[in-house]
């Protein structure tokens, strides 16, 4: 008699409603990958994560040689919640026998390409990840008291191979963001063959852009700076043919002071969440330098390259940098020419700018999930601007008829502030979500994480006091020290 054991059934083959997942993740970007990695350390939780892409890739069009991520390497998928995790960046280095070279290099900020490689390593080793799975619909099954999830398993060519269904007590949406194209430029960006592209696709078109006579980069953030610098370094001396335009009043540095960075701490996230909706909406645009500025090193490198070229040319290089302008309209004026109609906000002046190609470093917007969550839409509570309400645990506020929870990752900037898309808060947010799912905290988190006390009222977890409830009266101290 054969002693061979039958293969263990996968979650797709099991009677899904009889053995539901505790948590189903939709999307496998860095944030849900962080959650999956930390969930792996909680054996009592049954989880699975799905993504329609065939494999993990992080902004492949922006993996420019030498470009670094803007957070320290400690802001990996797990370390700030569990330094001993087997999925840390340091473990990745040790596995690839690069731990000592990294130590000698003394690099606090790693290259984008290495971060992408690290995440891919985790995604290839971590169980419970299902790439090539397109989520088609999500419903709440009232009889089962579970979320019912329909998916299509995709083949190598991206075509559907099989349909499947699974059930989960809770969901987490990590579908990420998508490139944002300003309205005046959408007709050109959507037209086939027109050289107007988003920076997300930069590397795919890099060689063509380097061979183009006049190129315009639009956007003042880190991506725009990296694209402009790469083009500048690789175009002929004296024939740069570059314009860099931005709406912001200056090509400004990222806020990187130590106390400024505390606005990317859990303390500030909790404080921001307690503010009235109107105040949160006022704050976000004023904080643009926290997330739309440029790294000091990149600004220095751009200025150095411009100065080097001016020195060799004994003249100004052919690169024009103009902040404070907006693109009003745009169109084609010839087979190989584009025309942008510009307006300068401070001067109140307008002009026309011609170019042969445009790179839009205009950022990203939260990916819409209206179709995916159409069946749940009647149960989602919304704010005065029709945005989903999100509680302090990153959970959508739902009608009480829905007994399960839907968590969101990188879709709650309007409720949790500028740290929402920041990689430095990935592990902490993942731990918060997992702790909400377990009877005892799976990952104990510190009640305080910043020296700054944000506000005069407590905003700590579970009502705990962050800093002092009231400011000390300084008058007594001064009275005691007088002679």
């Amino acid at each position: 008699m054969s002693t061979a054991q039958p293969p263990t059934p996968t979650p797709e083959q099991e009677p899904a409603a009889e053995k539901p997942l505790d948590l189903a993740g939709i999307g496998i970007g860095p944030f849900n990958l962080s959650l999956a990695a930390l969930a792996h350390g909680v054996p009592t939780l049954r989880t699975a994560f799905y993504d329609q892409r065939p494999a993990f890739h992080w902004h492949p069009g922006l993996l420019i040689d030498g470009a670094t991520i803007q957070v320290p390497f400690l802001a990996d998928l797990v370390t700030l919640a569990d330094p001993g995790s087997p999925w840390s960046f340091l473990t990745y280095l040790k596995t690839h026998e690069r731990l000592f070279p990294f130590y000698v290099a003394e690099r606090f900020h790693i290259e984008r390409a290495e971060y992408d490689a690290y995440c891919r390593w985790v995604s290839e080793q971590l169980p419970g990840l299902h790439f090539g799975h397109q989520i088609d619909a999500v419903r709440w099954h009232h009889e089962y008291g579970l979320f019912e999830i329909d998916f299509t398993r995709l083949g190598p060519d991206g075509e559907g191979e099989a349909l499947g269904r699974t059930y989960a007590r809770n969901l987490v949406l990590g579908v990420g963001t998508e490139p944002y194209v300003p309205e005046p430029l959408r007709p050109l960006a959507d037209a086939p063959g027109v050289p107007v592209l988003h920076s997300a696709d930069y590397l795919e078109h890099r060689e063509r852009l380097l061979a183009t006579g006049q190129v315009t980069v639009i956007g003042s953030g880190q991506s725009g700076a990296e694209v402009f610098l790469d083009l500048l370094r690789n175009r002929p001396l004296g024939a740069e043919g570059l314009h860099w335009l931005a709406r912001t009043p200056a090509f400004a540095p990222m806020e990187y002071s130590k106390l400024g960075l505390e606005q990317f701490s859990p303390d500030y996230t909790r404080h921001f969440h307690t503010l009235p909706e109107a105040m949160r909406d006022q704050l976000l645009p004023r904080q643009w330098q926290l997330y739309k500025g440029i790294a000091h090193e990149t600004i220095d490198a751009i200025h150095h390259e411009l100065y080097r070229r001016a020195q060799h040319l004994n003249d100004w290089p052919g690169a024009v940098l103009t902040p404070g302008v907006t693109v009003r309209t745009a169109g084609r004026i010839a087979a190989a020419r584009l025309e942008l109609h510009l307006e300068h906000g401070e001067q109140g002046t307008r002009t026309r700018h011609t170019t042969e190609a445009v790179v839009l470093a205009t950022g990203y917007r939260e990916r819409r999930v209206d179709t995916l969550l159409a069946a749940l839409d009647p149960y989602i509570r919304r704010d005065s601007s029709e945005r989903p309400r999100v509680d302090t645990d990153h959970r959508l506020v739902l009608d009480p008829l829905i007994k399960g929870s839907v968590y969101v990752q990188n879709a709650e900037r309007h409720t949790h502030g500028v740290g929402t898309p920041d990689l430095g808060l990935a592990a902490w947010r993942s731990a918060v979500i997992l702790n909400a799912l377990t009877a005892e905290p799976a990952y104990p988190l510190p009640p305080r994480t910043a020296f700054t006390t944000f506000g005069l009222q407590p905003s700590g977890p579970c009502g705990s006091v962050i800093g002092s409830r009231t400011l000390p009266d300084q008058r007594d101290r001064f009275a005691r020290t007088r002679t």
Side-chain angles (χ1 to χ4, degrees), residues 227-282:
V227 168
F228 179 80
L229 177 60
D230 187 61
L231 290 172
L232 180 64
R233 282 173 167 169
N234 292 281
R235 289 171 74 86
L237 186 68
E240 291 80 9
L242 295 176
H243 280 75
W244 187 13
L245 308 176
R247 289 189 307 167
T248 53
F251 294 103
M254 185 81 71
E255 168 59 67
Y256 214 75
S257 66
K258 300 308 178 188
L259 292 180
L261 287 177
E262 289 196 335
Q263 291 177 83
F264 293 99
S265 68
D267 284 6
Y268 184 77
T269 300
R270 288 188 289 256
H271 163 72
F272 188 89
H273 190 270
T274 65
L275 298 176
E277 178 188 334
M279 178 54 65
R280 295 197 299 254
D281 290 344
Q282 291 177 33

Side-chain angles (χ1 to χ4, degrees), residues 87-336:
W87 309 110
S88 71
F89 177 70
L90 291 180
T91 302
Y92 161 77
L93 290 177
K94 183 179 180 181
T95 302
H96 290 80
E97 300 182 350
R98 290 208 307 273
L99 192 56
F100 269 88
F102 182 78
Y103 157 69
V104 173
E106 295 184 334
R107 299 190 62 190
F108 206 46
H109 293 81
I110 63 176
E111 292 192 6
R112 288 172 177 263
E114 187 166 33
Y115 179 80
D116 176 64
Y118 153 65
C119 289
R120 280 189 285 110
W121 171 76
V122 174
S123 72
E124 291 163 1
Q125 308 294 322
L126 189 66
L129 305 184
H130 302 275
F131 289 97
H133 282 63
Q134 174 184 290
I135 302 300
D136 301 315
V138 176
R139 297 174 294 275
W140 177 253
H141 197 296
H142 290 277
E143 182 181 350
Y144 293 166
L146 298 168
F147 290 105
E148 187 174 68
I149 305 163
D150 292 340
F151 60 82
T152 301
R153 192 170 70 245
L154 307 176
D157 57 358
E159 296 296 321
E161 286 190 340
L163 301 178
R165 175 175 291 171
T166 190
Y167 292 84
R169 296 185 176 91
N170 303 283
L171 300 176
V172 57
L173 303 180
V175 296
T177 56
E178 58 188 358
Y180 171 72
V181 177
E183 186 67 38
L185 289 151
R186 286 179 191 172
L188 291 177
D190 293 339
V194 178
V196 176
L197 60 117
H198 195 275
S199 58
D201 301 315
Y202 170 68
L203 285 183
E204 181 182 346
H205 300 275
R206 179 176 180 269
E207 295 307 315
R208 191 174 109 188
L209 290 169
L210 288 175
T212 301
Q214 298 285 331
V215 179
T216 299
V217 178
I218 299 177
S220 63
Q222 182 67 18
S223 297
E226 290 173 352
V227 168
F228 179 80
L229 177 60
D230 187 61
L231 290 172
L232 180 64
R233 282 173 167 169
N234 292 281
R235 289 171 74 86
L237 186 68
E240 291 80 9
L242 295 176
H243 280 75
W244 187 13
L245 308 176
R247 289 189 307 167
T248 53
F251 294 103
M254 185 81 71
E255 168 59 67
Y256 214 75
S257 66
K258 300 308 178 188
L259 292 180
L261 287 177
E262 289 196 335
Q263 291 177 83
F264 293 99
S265 68
D267 284 6
Y268 184 77
T269 300
R270 288 188 289 256
H271 163 72
F272 188 89
H273 190 270
T274 65
L275 298 176
E277 178 188 334
M279 178 54 65
R280 295 197 299 254
D281 290 344
Q282 291 177 33
L283 271 176
L284 283 171
R286 300 206 302 259
Q287 296 174 321
W288 66 272
Q289 266 186 269
L290 290 171
Y291 59 97
K292 289 186 179 179
I294 307 167
H296 287 264
E297 296 82 1
T298 309
I299 291 177
D300 291 349
I302 290 171
H303 192 273
H304 173 77
E305 182 64 21
L306 291 169
Y307 184 83
R308 185 188 71 81
R309 288 173 174 255
Q311 178 185 3
H312 286 287
L313 290 168
N314 198 28
D315 196 1
W316 295 96
V320 180
L321 292 72
T322 311
V325 297
T326 56
V327 179
R328 296 174 52 249
T329 58
R332 297 182 71 167
I333 57 174

